[in-house]
Amino acid sequence: MANSMYEYVKAFEQPDVLLPNTWIVVRIDGRGFHKFSAKYAFEKPNDRRALDLMNAAAKAVLADLPDIVIAYGISDEYSFVFHRSCALFERRSSKLITTIVSTFTAHFVHQWSNFFPDQPLSVPLPSFDGRAVLYPTVQNLRDYMSWRQVDCHINNLYNTTFWALIQQGGVDAKEAEKELAGSLAADKNEILFSRFKVNYNNEPEIYKKGSIVLRDYELVEPGTASETLDEDSAKTVEQLVLSKTHEERDRKRRAKARVTVLHVDIIKDEFWERRPWLLSNKPGKIPKEP
Amino acid sequence: MANSMYEYVKAFEQPDVLLPNTWIVVRIDGRGFHKFSAKYAFEKPNDRRALDLMNAAAKAVLADLPDIVIAYGISDEYSFVFHRSCALFERRSSKLITTIVSTFTAHFVHQWSNFFPDQPLSVPLPSFDGRAVLYPTVQNLRDYMSWRQVDCHINNLYNTTFWALIQQGGVDAKEAEKELAGSLAADKNEILFSRFKVNYNNEPEIYKKGSIVLRDYELVEPGTASETLDEDSAKTVEQLVLSKTHEERDRKRRAKARVTVLHVDIIKDEFWERRPWLLSNKPGKIPKEP
Amino acid sequence: MANSMYEYVKAFEQPDVLLPNTWIVVRIDGRGFHKFSAKYAFEKPNDRRALDLMNAAAKAVLADLPDIVIAYGISDEYSFVFHRSCALFERRSSKLITTIVSTFTAHFVHQWSNFFPDQPLSVPLPSFDGRAVLYPTVQNLRDYMSWRQVDCHINNLYNTTFWALIQQGGVDAKEAEKELAGSLAADKNEILFSRFKVNYNNEPEIYKKGSIVLRDYELVEPGTASETLDEDSAKTVEQLVLSKTHEERDRKRRAKARVTVLHVDIIKDEFWERRPWLLSNKPGKIPKEP
Amino acid sequence: MANSMYEYVKAFEQPDVLLPNTWIVVRIDGRGFHKFSAKYAFEKPNDRRALDLMNAAAKAVLADLPDIVIAYGISDEYSFVFHRSCALFERRSSKLITTIVSTFTAHFVHQWSNFFPDQPLSVPLPSFDGRAVLYPTVQNLRDYMSWRQVDCHINNLYNTTFWALIQQGGVDAKEAEKELAGSLAADKNEILFSRFKVNYNNEPEIYKKGSIVLRDYELVEPGTASETLDEDSAKTVEQLVLSKTHEERDRKRRAKARVTVLHVDIIKDEFWERRPWLLSNKPGKIPKEP
């Protein structure tokens, strides 16, 4: 076959399989979203429509890829977490990141007009880049999630104050920046409250906490989870075989679960204790319809 | 700052810079396009609207990323070639592949309705995955391109015959497959000609040759190129500095050039000799308007 | 400086930092030791001098690199384990594996004449290759160690029987191989006992269990360890800083500890429970001189 | 088999195959040789015995690994070059670097007493670390080699002057350093000549040029090489098959060739033109015995 003469070029493909038994976080970011948000006149400090569109796209990614256990989004970035036992695409990094980025982009573009009905998209279209990072332990993973949520808080407090100074305080960007340089959280809270009658605590949770996307199972009473979280639970061959037999059942439960969006604290233990399925990867109970 | 407590998680990000001075090929593929093409009733063996949409998306990628010198598409796959001197995103693999996949997907979804006006997209939306492969020499790169174009030819001849047997010959897929098992190119040409009056040579070039996307400069008479192709031309520091000064001028010329689609032979030398800018990365002359 | 013209070549060096917070196992193997052992007429099935030399070289490696917490050797292979918190050479894979291989080789060659006084080394000299493997959890690491020790047992039982058949049974290698094909452990034990009066259980521990190299601290009563093993114990910044201040003290304790060789079971929990310093990386108590 | 329960740990081994069709340079460096050279009172600025020992070890590496086409050494470092077509160990990085480092170390330790008969080695023994770097083109490779030889020249001129100031000029290290700070090559030549009657040009070539280790074939008249150097010469399948049949013949010729050490310029074209076998990997003619 004539083709065989050229087929040697396949030998230049190099493997990029991610280390087994580690948590895979794929974080994607909007490309040039500073410019993009200006073009479509996003509201400041937060544009609810844009965040809702981001969340809609993230929900579609979770619905498409059941191996993702949780996702967390702020501003124009989203982090998707594959469970440490994930074997999707043989854990090939390129496949995982491009599939997420492509699926997310497809939904962002496709659903755009639902959220921005009066502003049709034009070139350059919105796009996202992404990368994978591995975390070997639950603590590392939770610290990653905490890092993003603390970042959300810090940025939102700053932006809320910054834009209050401009929009209500009548100063320009330079002055606002100067005023906030070196300020502490308490200072910003004070500016908001004393000058603009804004109690930061009353700001919408979506802005203060970011968005968590996950499958919706019945919450568990802390301390009652039947199985303690064990980093190494399913690592022996017997257990892997056992879990193989449960896999099909789990897949069905996951498919039945509703993908939902929350705006809550993910730093404290409670969030994780009440949702043991996130770390165990064993689907919980589907909540009964009211 | 409270955040610093969690910031250590950034240390888990690992570099993925691609080896300098090698050709970067990013190949993307439609995910589950067998099912997708059935859902939207793509014509067989080739759906012109789908190919035109693929090409439109590829053109948009080239327009967006001037570091891409050429792209080649067949069916639901596209290969994008970054010049060996490319420094975009510091040659980070994740950034390069996700940016291409995301930009391509955005345009595929956004322009869908131009090519399939009567079939609105619905979930699951089309998506693509991708990967990067490095080729150290021009010969390796050209062999890669030849490999894809030979593949195009082999697949198209097979599919053309296969679907002629079904659509005109009235057999089912199983019988068609059986009839073609072990057949040579000559056999398929003969089936097409004697049974269906189809001269394969007269089939549209887009199906036989695939699609080449590139910037449109004036063709060069073979043998007259002022500079011989030198693998190593711009690798010394002096030359790199020199080329730095030309870079801005080159960027402008590239931006002015029209991105165009061809369906021609890329295996023979002629294609490359008449377009020395592909391998030299020095933009050619912008053709005069007629 | 004239050199700068060529210094761009440094940009081709690619990072190879190993994922943080994972156990690093560097396994080295003798190159061509089948031939090598024939050349120096190693005794079969086990050559005590060769094993003692391997162990002497391994002890020297541990003495040189305090970041190694334990090593395990069988036949011509040795596995060295760096603690998950290891930051030696910034965890660069090449540095870690070449340093171990080089130090081991240096001692193997230098101490050769102590163990083989009548057989001077000649070209080709003994050499070793090596590689690094990462294990994210304690369970994975212990399973790796168990894997090697089970391998030791399986190989030694086979070899002991195989060579008994040849050396005492008077058959040739082919016949011995044939006799053992498909045999179970019980079969081999039976052959040894009934035909050669060998009770395998009484074979030297070094052959049955392999060799464990570690720093010698006072054993701990199981269940009394003051700190439970926590995969994630020292992962927050505060704790890392805290451990920084303890580091110097720990370094001194490690330097004082004697590196010793054991031939015991490392599969059961007891081995690890009585030596909590292996997994915690906190040096134990130096045993009092008798 | 009991072992299978643990064998899953093998899945954590990750591939490290080096990109095909690129030049592989493995550079090794003495670990802590500043201290080591003080311990054994190496002569300054150059210790001929130490360099001869380095060269003897490098020759042994080349004799052991015919895939290495050339090596270059200065001070306590050595660079070994595998031809771009090298397939040794399937181009696995770990195997290649550890094999070189181990073989080099074995010979360095074993031959030590030939070069330092009055100074037996003692702990800590000499050891080396190493790493692999890939170069896609001949120009990149030659620039790497030039970089090392320019470095040799710069360091040697500096060290020769520095130690002349101390040993003959009677100043201390601090003063010598101060005097040379910011000095040009011409300044150092002048100091050597006017103050110490040393004509740097007459210094031994081994110090000024470093050491080149290669297989000794008959030199070729520049311009008469029957085959032009083609980066891509043997990259098509036909040619690879062809070269397969020549491989055995080539292997024998390489084995017959004497490995030799030179101290000559490797920056200019002449060195490479007269030894076309270095870049083509086709063994030259074995020189006739005189």
Side-chain angles (χ1 to χ4, degrees):
Chain A
M1 169 71 75
N3 208 9
S4 64
M5 170 181 173
Y6 300 120
E7 263 182 306
Y8 79 90
V9 297
K10 278 163 70 173
F12 288 73
E13 297 180 5
Q14 300 201 283
D16 63 346
V17 169
L18 298 170
L19 186 68
N21 202 22
T22 52
W23 298 91
I24 304 169
V25 174
V26 176
R27 184 172 67 243
I28 72 172
D29 282 276
R31 289 182 60 225
F33 260 48
H34 194 75
K35 220 170 164 178
F36 181 77
S37 66
K39 177 177 168 188
Y40 294 98
F42 280 15
E43 286 163 26
K44 296 294 181 183
N46 293 292
D47 187 297
R48 183 63 196 245
R49 302 160 301 169
L51 292 179
D52 286 344
L53 174 53
M54 289 291 289
N55 293 346
K59 283 174 73 174
V61 170
L62 255 88
D64 197 39
L65 298 170
D67 295 75
I68 300 174
V69 291
I70 189 171
Y72 178 72
I74 46 171
S75 182
D76 64 337
E77 84 168 41
Y78 239 102
S79 299
F80 297 91
V81 181
F82 289 99
H83 193 266
R84 64 189 312 146
S85 65
C86 164
L88 183 65
F89 305 142
E90 298 155 303
R91 298 174 73 89
R92 279 183 286 150
S93 178
S94 302
K95 279 281 252 184
L96 291 168
I97 62 176
T98 54
T99 296
I100 284 186
V101 160
S102 183
T103 306
F104 191 93
T105 304
H107 283 273
F108 192 94
V109 170
H110 188 244
Q111 299 190 37
W112 171 269
S113 59
N114 300 337
F115 296 88
F116 293 87
D118 305 326
Q119 292 171 287
L121 277 177
S122 63
V123 172
L125 298 181
S127 63
F128 297 83
D129 57 41
R131 64 179 308 164
V133 191
L134 299 180
Y135 290 105
T137 66
V138 166
Q139 188 63 52
N140 293 152
L141 173 69
R142 282 193 47 191
D143 287 347
Y144 173 84
M145 301 298 272
S146 298
W147 175 49
R148 299 322 301 138
Q149 193 166 49
V150 170
D151 229 36
C152 171
H153 166 71
I154 292 170
N155 292 339
N156 190 56
L157 178 55
Y158 183 94
N159 291 336
T160 304
T161 319
F162 179 83
W163 287 101
L165 286 167
I166 292 174
Q167 292 166 346
Q168 296 161 252
V171 311
D172 66 14
K174 226 174 182 168
E175 286 172 85
E177 215 175 293
K178 205 175 145 192
E179 176 142 12
L180 294 177
S183 67
L184 302 177
D187 302 328
K188 297 190 197 80
N189 275 307
E190 180 60 20
I191 291 173
L192 284 173
F193 192 69
S194 62
R195 306 220 330 235
F196 306 112
K197 309 291 168 226
V198 171
N199 183 339
Y200 182 75
N201 288 332
N202 297 337
E203 288 292 292
E205 293 298 304
I206 184 173
Y207 303 151
K208 289 186 302 182
K209 295 285 197 300
S211 298
I212 296 105
V213 185
L214 41 66
R215 281 178 190 76
D216 201 21
Y217 302 110
E218 272 185 19
L219 294 187
V220 163
E221 272 315 300
T224 67
S226 56
E227 18 203 351
T228 55
L229 171 71
D230 184 350
E231 287 275 327
D232 300 307
S233 52
K235 289 300 110 208
T236 62
V237 165
E238 282 82 359
Q239 289 164 313
L240 284 170
V241 169
L242 199 81
S243 64
K244 259 288 189 239
T245 64
H246 291 326
E247 215 169 81
E248 193 47 36
R249 189 199 60 188
D250 288 356
R251 192 188 307 280
K252 279 178 194 162
R253 273 218 247 172
R254 261 182 222 111
K256 257 190 236 167
R258 210 164 51 93
V259 175
T260 190
V261 184
L262 307 173
H263 314 290
V264 299
D265 181 285
I266 56 172
I267 299 175
K268 298 204 196 79
D269 292 340
E270 196 204 349
F271 174 82
W272 304 92
E273 285 172 358
R274 301 205 67 183
R275 295 168 183 85
W277 62 82
L278 293 174
L279 300 177
S280 71
N281 208 28
K282 286 167 198 126
K285 269 196 203 160
I286 306 288
K288 289 184 201 94
E289 296 298 317
Chain B
M1 169 70 74
N3 208 9
S4 63
M5 170 181 173
Y6 300 120
E7 261 182 308
Y8 80 91
V9 298
K10 276 162 71 172
F12 288 74
E13 297 181 4
Q14 300 202 281
D16 64 344
V17 168
L18 299 170
L19 185 69
N21 202 23
T22 52
W23 298 91
I24 304 169
V25 174
V26 176
R27 183 171 71 243
I28 72 172
D29 282 275
R31 289 183 60 226
F33 260 49
H34 194 75
K35 222 170 163 178
F36 181 78
S37 66
K39 177 177 169 188
Y40 294 98
F42 281 14
E43 287 163 27
K44 296 295 181 180
N46 293 292
D47 188 299
R48 182 63 196 245
R49 302 160 302 171
L51 292 180
D52 286 344
L53 174 53
M54 290 289 291
N55 293 346
K59 284 174 72 175
V61 170
L62 256 88
D64 197 39
L65 298 170
D67 295 75
I68 300 174
V69 291
I70 188 170
Y72 178 73
I74 46 172
S75 183
D76 64 338
E77 83 167 43
Y78 239 102
S79 299
F80 297 90
V81 180
F82 289 99
H83 194 265
R84 64 189 312 148
S85 65
C86 165
L88 183 66
F89 305 143
E90 297 156 306
R91 297 174 74 88
R92 278 183 288 152
S93 178
S94 302
K95 279 281 253 184
L96 291 168
I97 62 176
T98 53
T99 296
I100 283 186
V101 160
S102 183
T103 306
F104 191 93
T105 304
H107 283 274
F108 192 95
V109 170
H110 188 244
Q111 299 190 38
W112 172 269
S113 61
N114 300 338
F115 295 89
F116 293 87
D118 305 328
Q119 292 170 288
L121 277 177
S122 63
V123 172
L125 298 181
S127 64
F128 297 82
D129 58 41
R131 64 179 307 164
V133 191
L134 299 180
Y135 291 106
T137 65
V138 165
Q139 187 64 51
N140 292 154
L141 172 68
R142 282 193 47 190
D143 286 347
Y144 173 84
M145 301 297 271
S146 298
W147 176 50
R148 300 321 303 139
Q149 194 167 49
V150 170
D151 229 35
C152 171
H153 165 71
I154 292 170
N155 292 339
N156 190 56
L157 177 56
Y158 182 94
N159 292 337
T160 303
T161 317
F162 178 84
W163 287 100
L165 286 168
I166 292 174
Q167 292 166 345
Q168 297 160 255
V171 308
D172 65 13
K174 224 173 184 170
E175 285 172 89
E177 215 175 293
K178 204 175 145 192
E179 176 142 10
L180 294 178
S183 67
L184 302 178
D187 301 329
K188 297 190 197 80
N189 274 306
E190 180 60 22
I191 291 173
L192 284 173
F193 193 69
S194 61
R195 306 221 326 236
F196 307 113
K197 308 294 168 223
V198 171
N199 184 339
Y200 182 75
N201 288 331
N202 298 337
E203 289 293 290
E205 293 298 303
I206 185 174
Y207 303 150
K208 290 185 303 182
K209 297 286 199 296
S211 298
I212 296 107
V213 184
L214 41 67
R215 282 178 189 75
D216 201 22
Y217 303 110
E218 271 185 20
L219 295 187
V220 163
E221 272 316 299
T224 66
S226 56
E227 17 204 351
T228 54
L229 170 71
D230 184 352
E231 288 276 328
D232 299 306
S233 49
K235 288 300 111 207
T236 62
V237 165
E238 281 81 357
Q239 290 165 313
L240 284 170
V241 169
L242 199 80
S243 64
K244 261 291 190 235
T245 63
H246 290 327
E247 217 168 78
E248 194 46 38
R249 188 199 61 188
D250 287 358
R251 191 187 307 278
K252 280 179 194 162
R253 271 217 246 174
R254 261 182 220 112
K256 254 191 239 168
R258 210 164 50 94
V259 175
T260 189
V261 183
L262 306 174
H263 315 289
V264 298
D265 182 286
I266 57 173
I267 299 175
K268 299 205 196 81
D269 294 339
E270 197 203 348
F271 173 81
W272 303 93
E273 285 172 358
R274 301 205 66 184
R275 295 168 183 84
W277 63 83
L278 292 173
L279 300 176
S280 70
N281 209 26
K282 288 170 194 121
K285 268 195 203 160
I286 307 288
K288 290 184 199 93
E289 298 296 319
Chain C
M1 170 70 76
N3 208 8
S4 63
M5 169 181 173
Y6 300 120
E7 261 182 309
Y8 80 91
V9 297
K10 277 163 71 172
F12 288 74
E13 296 180 5
Q14 300 202 282
D16 63 346
V17 169
L18 299 171
L19 186 68
N21 202 22
T22 53
W23 299 90
I24 304 169
V25 174
V26 176
R27 183 171 70 242
I28 72 171
D29 282 276
R31 289 182 61 226
F33 259 50
H34 194 75
K35 223 170 162 176
F36 181 78
S37 66
K39 177 178 168 188
Y40 294 98
F42 280 14
E43 286 163 28
K44 296 296 181 181
N46 293 293
D47 188 296
R48 183 63 196 245
R49 302 160 301 171
L51 292 180
D52 287 343
L53 174 54
M54 290 289 291
N55 292 347
K59 283 174 73 175
V61 170
L62 255 87
D64 197 39
L65 298 170
D67 295 74
I68 300 174
V69 291
I70 188 171
Y72 178 71
I74 46 171
S75 183
D76 64 336
E77 84 166 43
Y78 239 102
S79 298
F80 297 90
V81 180
F82 289 99
H83 193 266
R84 64 189 312 146
S85 65
C86 164
L88 182 66
F89 305 143
E90 297 155 305
R91 297 173 74 87
R92 278 183 288 151
S93 178
S94 301
K95 279 282 252 184
L96 292 167
I97 62 176
T98 53
T99 296
I100 284 186
V101 160
S102 183
T103 306
F104 191 93
T105 304
H107 283 274
F108 192 94
V109 169
H110 188 244
Q111 299 190 38
W112 171 268
S113 59
N114 300 338
F115 296 89
F116 293 88
D118 306 327
Q119 292 170 287
L121 277 178
S122 64
V123 173
L125 298 180
S127 63
F128 296 82
D129 57 43
R131 64 178 308 162
V133 191
L134 299 180
Y135 291 106
T137 66
V138 166
Q139 188 63 52
N140 293 152
L141 172 69
R142 282 193 47 191
D143 287 347
Y144 173 84
M145 301 298 271
S146 298
W147 176 49
R148 300 322 302 140
Q149 194 167 49
V150 170
D151 228 36
C152 171
H153 166 71
I154 292 170
N155 292 339
N156 190 55
L157 178 56
Y158 183 94
N159 291 336
T160 303
T161 318
F162 178 83
W163 286 100
L165 286 168
I166 291 174
Q167 292 166 345
Q168 296 161 254
V171 309
D172 65 13
K174 225 174 183 168
E175 286 172 86
E177 213 175 295
K178 206 174 143 192
E179 177 143 10
L180 294 178
S183 67
L184 301 177
D187 303 329
K188 297 191 197 80
N189 275 307
E190 180 61 22
I191 292 173
L192 284 173
F193 192 70
S194 62
R195 303 212 342 227
F196 307 113
K197 309 293 167 225
V198 171
N199 184 339
Y200 182 75
N201 288 331
N202 298 337
E203 289 292 291
E205 293 298 303
I206 184 174
Y207 303 151
K208 289 186 303 183
K209 295 284 198 298
S211 299
I212 296 106
V213 185
L214 41 66
R215 282 178 190 75
D216 202 21
Y217 303 110
E218 272 185 21
L219 294 188
V220 163
E221 272 316 299
T224 66
S226 56
E227 21 205 348
T228 54
L229 171 71
D230 184 351
E231 288 275 328
D232 300 306
S233 50
K235 289 300 112 211
T236 61
V237 165
E238 281 81 358
Q239 289 164 313
L240 284 170
V241 169
L242 198 79
S243 64
K244 261 288 192 238
T245 64
H246 291 326
E247 216 168 80
E248 194 48 36
R249 188 199 62 187
D250 287 357
R251 192 187 306 278
K252 279 178 195 164
R253 272 218 246 172
R254 261 181 221 113
K256 254 190 238 168
R258 209 165 50 94
V259 176
T260 189
V261 184
L262 306 174
H263 315 290
V264 299
D265 182 285
I266 56 172
I267 299 176
K268 299 204 196 79
D269 293 340
E270 197 203 347
F271 174 82
W272 303 93
E273 285 172 358
R274 301 205 65 183
R275 296 168 182 84
W277 62 83
L278 292 174
L279 300 177
S280 71
N281 209 27
K282 287 168 196 126
K285 268 195 203 162
I286 306 288
K288 290 184 199 95
E289 297 297 318
Chain D
M1 169 69 75
N3 208 8
S4 63
M5 171 182 173
Y6 300 120
E7 262 183 307
Y8 80 90
V9 298
K10 276 162 71 171
F12 288 74
E13 298 180 5
Q14 299 202 283
D16 64 346
V17 169
L18 299 170
L19 185 69
N21 202 23
T22 52
W23 298 91
I24 304 169
V25 174
V26 176
R27 182 171 68 244
I28 72 173
D29 282 275
R31 289 183 60 226
F33 259 49
H34 194 75
K35 221 170 164 178
F36 181 79
S37 65
K39 177 177 169 188
Y40 294 98
F42 281 14
E43 286 163 25
K44 296 295 180 182
N46 293 293
D47 187 297
R48 182 62 196 245
R49 301 161 303 172
L51 293 179
D52 286 344
L53 173 53
M54 291 289 290
N55 292 347
K59 283 173 73 174
V61 170
L62 255 88
D64 197 39
L65 298 170
D67 295 75
I68 300 174
V69 291
I70 188 171
Y72 178 73
I74 46 171
S75 182
D76 64 338
E77 84 166 43
Y78 239 102
S79 299
F80 297 90
V81 181
F82 289 99
H83 193 265
R84 65 189 311 148
S85 66
C86 165
L88 184 64
F89 305 143
E90 297 157 306
R91 298 175 72 90
R92 279 184 286 152
S93 178
S94 302
K95 279 281 252 182
L96 291 168
I97 62 177
T98 53
T99 295
I100 283 186
V101 160
S102 183
T103 306
F104 191 93
T105 304
H107 283 274
F108 192 94
V109 170
H110 188 244
Q111 299 191 37
W112 171 269
S113 60
N114 300 337
F115 295 89
F116 293 87
D118 306 327
Q119 291 170 287
L121 277 178
S122 64
V123 171
L125 299 181
S127 63
F128 297 83
D129 57 40
R131 65 179 307 165
V133 191
L134 299 181
Y135 291 106
T137 65
V138 165
Q139 188 63 50
N140 293 153
L141 172 69
R142 282 193 48 191
D143 286 347
Y144 173 83
M145 301 297 272
S146 298
W147 175 50
R148 299 323 302 139
Q149 193 166 50
V150 170
D151 228 34
C152 171
H153 166 71
I154 292 171
N155 291 339
N156 190 56
L157 178 55
Y158 183 93
N159 291 337
T160 303
T161 317
F162 178 84
W163 287 101
L165 286 167
I166 292 174
Q167 293 166 345
Q168 296 160 252
V171 308
D172 66 14
K174 224 172 183 173
E175 286 172 87
E177 214 176 293
K178 204 175 145 192
E179 176 141 13
L180 294 177
S183 67
L184 302 178
D187 302 329
K188 298 188 196 80
N189 274 307
E190 180 60 21
I191 291 174
L192 284 173
F193 192 69
S194 62
R195 307 225 320 241
F196 307 112
K197 308 293 168 225
V198 171
N199 183 338
Y200 183 74
N201 288 331
N202 297 337
E203 288 292 293
E205 293 298 304
I206 184 173
Y207 302 151
K208 290 185 302 182
K209 297 284 198 300
S211 297
I212 297 106
V213 185
L214 40 67
R215 282 178 189 76
D216 200 22
Y217 303 111
E218 271 185 20
L219 294 187
V220 163
E221 272 316 301
T224 67
S226 56
E227 17 203 350
T228 54
L229 170 71
D230 183 350
E231 286 277 326
D232 300 306
S233 51
K235 289 300 111 209
T236 62
V237 165
E238 283 82 357
Q239 288 164 314
L240 285 170
V241 169
L242 198 80
S243 64
K244 258 292 188 235
T245 64
H246 291 327
E247 215 168 82
E248 194 46 37
R249 189 199 61 189
D250 288 357
R251 191 187 307 278
K252 281 179 194 162
R253 272 217 248 172
R254 261 182 221 112
K256 256 191 237 169
R258 209 165 50 92
V259 174
T260 190
V261 183
L262 306 174
H263 315 290
V264 299
D265 182 284
I266 57 173
I267 300 174
K268 298 203 197 81
D269 292 340
E270 197 203 347
F271 174 82
W272 303 94
E273 285 172 357
R274 301 206 67 182
R275 294 168 184 85
W277 62 82
L278 293 173
L279 300 177
S280 71
N281 209 26
K282 288 170 196 123
K285 268 196 203 161
I286 307 288
K288 290 185 200 91
E289 298 296 317

